Amino acid sequence: MAMMKSNGNVTGKMEDSEFHEFFVDELKDIYWAEQHLYKALPKLQKAATSKELAAAFEKHTGETQTHINTLEQVFSLLGEKAEAKKCEAMAGLLAEGDSIVGDTEKGSMTRDAGLILAAQKVEHYEIATYGTLIAFAQIMGHSDVANLLQQTLDVEKATDVALTKLAGSFVNEEAAAE
Ligand SMILES: [Fe+2]
Ligand SMILES: [Fe+2]
């Protein structure tokens, strides 16, 4: 994560400003995160026990592809090259998902409970990131960019709600009984 100098001017000439660079850097970070999530979701889908959770992961794989495309649109609107920069936070969250698969039994509801936990951590990370990026875009006067990122944020929030419903409806109850 790039640092902003304390005298960073966020209202001056945006294109060359340090804040613009910082914003683009953070876009590269979430671009990496979405790309790697896109690769990880089919693995989570395969590991899931219930078909409901597998279906939720499948749905979000398609949505994540859209998020990648949306970020490419954002880069293009800003006149920047779409570039990915390793996001340590997403790398850590995905590693946690892998370890949950390794630590739980195939076909168990405990595995699904763990996968839901891992997936919700990912969604909350994305929600925090997009929320802040939207605020930055608005400060910079890029309302077109803010609107695009808002569409992604809405999908991340809906995914989080869907996962919460899944967790509440059956997974945790059955896992507790195992
Ligand atoms: Fe996403
Ligand atoms: Fe997501």
Side-chain angles (χ1 to χ4, degrees), residues 1-12:
M1 195 159 156
M3 293 297 288
M4 237 196 306
K5 281 183 201 151
S6 55
N7 64 351
N9 179 9
V10 298
T11 52

Side-chain angles (χ1 to χ4, degrees), residues 11-164:
T11 52
K13 191 169 166 255
M14 285 303 164
E15 301 320 309
D16 305 319
S17 75
E18 195 174 7
F19 192 68
H20 175 87
E21 219 174 285
F22 172 76
F23 179 62
V24 171
D25 237 48
E26 293 306 310
L27 287 169
K28 291 177 182 177
D29 187 277
I30 191 70
Y31 188 50
W32 189 99
E34 293 280 19
Q35 285 178 332
H36 284 75
L37 178 59
Y38 180 75
K39 286 183 209 154
L41 279 166
K43 288 189 263 172
L44 300 182
Q45 182 189 335
K46 241 180 116 182
T49 299
S50 68
K51 59 178 189 311
E52 290 87 349
L53 183 57
F57 287 144
E58 186 176 19
K59 180 168 185 257
H60 203 51
T61 305
E63 290 166 340
T64 299
Q65 177 65 67
T66 304
H67 301 168
I68 293 168
N69 297 343
T70 300
L71 285 168
E72 284 164 0
Q73 259 179 282
V74 166
F75 282 115
S76 144
L77 278 170
L78 294 170
E80 299 282 347
K81 212 170 101 199
E83 250 174 19
K85 199 167 154 182
K86 187 175 183 185
C87 170
E88 298 292 350
M90 182 60 82
L93 290 169
L94 294 178
E96 205 174 294
D98 279 345
S99 74
I100 282 169
V101 174
D103 292 348
T104 54
E105 232 169 284
K106 190 174 158 51
S108 69
M109 294 311 286
T110 305
R111 171 170 294 181
D112 276 12
L115 288 176
I116 288 176
L117 178 70
Q120 285 197 287
K121 286 185 187 180
V122 167
E123 292 315 305
H124 280 247
Y125 177 75
E126 290 182 305
I127 288 166
T129 302
Y130 283 111
T132 305
L133 289 175
I134 289 163
F136 286 175
Q138 281 161 348
I139 289 169
M140 299 170 81
H142 292 303
S143 54
D144 45 356
V145 169
N147 289 341
L148 281 172
L149 297 177
Q150 183 65 49
Q151 290 171 19
T152 301
L153 178 60
D154 291 342
V155 173
E156 309 294 16
K157 284 184 175 169
T159 303
D160 180 51
V161 169
L163 289 168
T164 299

